[in-house]
Amino acid sequence: MKKKKYLNEIKKENFALALTLIDQELAENPEDPELLYNFAICCSRTGNHKKCVSVLRTLIEKVGRFIDRDNVYRLIIFSLIQLHEYLEALDLTDERLKINIGDLKLLSFRAHIMEKLHRIDEAIQIHKNILKL
């Protein structure tokens, strides 16, 4: 029943309340991967990107085979960009692109990072490659 409560709040985009509900459940089950993932999403949606990255890194360490692993890394990269940690985001993006060569979201992140690093020609080339895909 509790699960439905926090999921309903997420659907309503009431992320602050969802965070509170998930936090209560995490007290009972601190290593539940679904709870950790949803907690991180809510952190991101409320602007707490630093906590989001921390929770997702914990999730990767503790639950190596989490089903949404690609989305976990995408959310880490997004949060690092929001934190202006462009070089760290770029390193992680490049690492993930070795595994998922044609991932359009990762390529878009990479182009965005290049723009933020004032490497406009590289960003344009990435955008052109995305259009070819």
Side-chain angles (χ1 to χ4, degrees):
M1 193 64 154
K2 289 181 185 178
K3 180 178 179 180
K4 287 185 179 182
K5 266 187 167 182
Y6 80 76
L7 288 176
N8 284 335
E9 295 306 323
I10 289 172
K11 286 178 187 173
K12 291 186 223 174
E13 297 188 12
N14 189 354
F15 299 106
L17 179 55
L19 270 172
T20 302
L21 296 171
I22 294 169
D23 196 41
Q24 290 170 359
E25 287 206 37
L26 281 170
E28 297 172 21
N29 196 354
E31 294 189 13
D32 182 309
E34 185 178 341
L35 287 174
L36 290 169
Y37 183 64
N38 283 309
F39 188 81
I41 288 171
C42 292
C43 286
S44 174
R45 295 301 295 263
T46 57
N48 191 346
H49 298 288
K50 195 170 192 172
K51 181 70 173 177
C52 176
V53 170
S54 172
V55 169
L56 292 175
R57 286 189 171 145
T58 299
L59 179 62
I60 290 169
E61 288 172 16
K62 289 187 176 184
V63 188
R65 296 181 182 196
F66 185 65
I67 195 165
D68 285 333
R69 193 172 185 87
D70 287 336
N71 284 332
V72 168
Y73 280 106
R74 286 185 196 111
L75 188 52
I76 291 172
I77 293 165
F78 173 78
S79 292
L80 288 171
I81 291 169
Q82 297 306 306
L83 292 167
H84 304 274
E85 298 288 341
Y86 302 122
L87 294 177
E88 188 176 352
L90 180 61
D91 287 344
L92 187 54
T93 302
D94 288 346
E95 180 182 313
R96 297 308 297 169
L97 280 168
K98 290 176 186 173
I99 297 167
N100 300 317
I101 296 168
D103 187 307
L104 296 177
K105 289 178 183 176
L106 290 175
L107 290 169
S108 293
F109 282 144
R110 192 170 200 290
H112 181 77
I113 295 165
M114 289 298 129
E115 290 172 27
K116 294 295 184 182
L117 294 174
H118 307 289
R119 294 163 59 178
I120 304 303
D121 289 340
E122 290 176 72
I124 291 170
Q125 188 57 51
I126 294 168
H127 285 299
K128 286 180 180 178
N129 291 341
I130 290 171
L131 291 173
K132 288 179 188 175
L133 293 174

